[in-house]
Amino acid sequence: MDERQRLINLAYRLLGSLADAEDVVQETYARWYALTDAQRADIKVPAAWLTTVASRVCLSLLGSARVRRETYVGEWIPEPLPEPTEWISGGAADGGMDPADRVSLDESVSMAFLVVFESMTPAERVAFVLHDVFRYPFADVAEIVGRSSAACRQLASSARRRIREARADAGPSAGHAAVVRDFKAAWGAKDIGAMIGLLDPDAVWVADGGGKALTILDPIVGGEEIARAYLRIAEVAPAHTLLERTVNGLPGLVVQQHDRIVTVFAFEVVGERITRIWAVRNPDKLRPWAMR
């Protein structure tokens, strides 16, 4: 059971869903306990066995997920992961066990990275995460993926290339929090000029309602177009509170209505401008936030 947190970390990065990650770990342990005592005694390194099984379950799920998403309503965004603290005030949020207590936070769980992972083939994603994130040797990756070590090297290399191409202009931004804070203030003040100034001219806004929450189905491209859309939303939206929260390890914002989180915003900031906004409204993906 000491391996549980590591397995959830692995599965979340592979699947982009905490709920699915926990299901994978449950399935992995079910298979472990289905073994006889003699079979378990023959396993020299239980951690390696558990990792192999969890990775293969994820690999199977990634293949079926592509089929399911063909019928998904609107854009699909990975499930946003909360942290127990407010990123500006530093105050702890209310609630019990937080999902961030189960998933270690680094660049590989940022929304930008998880979105790029979605563009990879299942094999690329598994090879990259196992080798580049969790530092498994390619010989072990090959056994899990069912391909040669050389093929797994190529898969990981292809995945790295996808990341470089997708995030060519991105990099660590020391001003990320300040930019998100200023965006929150401009949105609250309905200052369209300030909002446009904070958005890259080619910024992209993507929303995920999953057919279960009202949202704009198609991505919006362009800083001015995004700013105007946000102001239209502010004019017609019910009374709400905009809160500062850490989303997948970076400063983000959430919309709270009647003590319930209804939208989570993740941002990509390059330099001093916002280049990407991901808005998650699908209530199924906001369940971890109900714990807070």
Side-chain angles (χ1 to χ4, degrees):
M1 292 304 293
D2 291 341
E3 296 297 314
R4 180 177 176 79
Q5 184 170 0
R6 185 180 59 82
L7 294 173
I8 289 179
N9 270 276
L10 171 65
Y12 176 74
R13 285 164 174 79
L14 289 176
L15 302 175
S17 166
L18 185 64
D20 288 347
E22 291 179 329
D23 287 344
V24 165
V25 174
Q26 183 175 344
E27 171 64 19
T28 300
Y29 278 106
R31 296 187 186 188
W32 170 262
Y33 289 114
L35 299 174
T36 65
D37 290 342
Q39 288 173 321
R40 285 198 292 271
D42 285 339
I43 298 173
K44 295 181 179 180
V45 185
W49 186 93
L50 292 167
T51 298
T52 298
V53 171
S55 298
R56 287 175 177 168
V57 173
C58 287
L59 192 58
S60 176
L61 287 176
L62 285 169
S64 61
R66 287 175 174 264
V67 176
R68 293 197 308 271
R69 285 171 198 164
E70 291 178 359
T71 59
Y72 193 82
V73 178
E75 298 289 322
W76 189 94
I77 299 175
E79 181 182 307
L81 185 72
E83 273 193 86
T85 57
E86 299 181 29
W87 56 265
I88 291 180
S89 69
D94 293 332
M97 178 69 171
D98 193 278
D101 293 332
R102 286 167 279 169
V103 179
S104 59
L105 299 167
D106 58 34
E107 189 179 32
S108 67
V109 296
S110 72
M111 190 63 74
F113 255 77
L114 292 178
V115 169
V116 177
F117 286 168
E118 287 300 310
S119 69
M120 300 178 186
T121 67
E124 283 176 336
R125 189 164 178 169
V126 172
F128 175 84
V129 171
L130 283 172
H131 180 267
D132 285 44
V133 179
F134 287 87
R135 303 301 179 188
Y136 282 85
F138 280 117
D140 293 348
V141 177
E143 182 181 349
I144 291 170
V145 178
R147 304 193 188 189
S148 68
S149 295
C152 289
R153 287 181 183 274
Q154 289 297 318
L155 288 169
S157 177
S158 175
R160 289 185 213 108
R161 185 170 59 253
R162 288 177 184 265
I163 290 173
R164 286 195 301 270
E165 292 171 353
R167 309 193 68 228
D169 297 327
S173 175
H176 186 119
V179 172
V180 175
R181 181 191 301 123
D182 290 344
F183 184 82
K184 172 178 177 278
W187 190 11
K190 299 182 180 179
D191 186 341
I192 189 169
M195 292 180 73
I196 292 173
L198 291 164
L199 290 159
D200 186 90
D202 298 319
V204 179
W205 178 83
V206 181
D208 178 344
K212 298 182 178 182
L214 183 64
T215 191
I216 299 172
L217 294 180
D218 297 321
I220 301 176
V221 180
E224 183 172 348
E225 289 76 8
I226 293 172
R228 294 189 183 283
Y230 267 70
L231 290 184
R232 289 196 297 271
I233 292 170
E235 290 173 356
V236 301
H240 66 269
T241 303
L242 198 59
L243 302 172
E244 302 151 355
R245 290 287 186 270
T246 300
V247 182
N248 288 68
L250 290 172
L253 300 172
V254 303
V255 175
Q256 179 176 288
Q257 291 177 354
H258 308 299
D259 297 323
R260 184 170 64 93
I261 301 298
V262 296
T263 309
V264 172
F265 294 101
F267 298 84
E268 181 178 66
V269 178
V270 176
E272 297 182 352
R273 289 195 166 187
I274 296 168
T275 56
R276 295 286 188 278
I277 302 176
W278 296 279
V280 181
R281 287 183 49 76
N282 185 337
D284 293 341
K285 296 183 178 183
L286 298 182
R287 286 174 182 167
W289 296 80
M291 303 167 61
R292 302 160 60 73

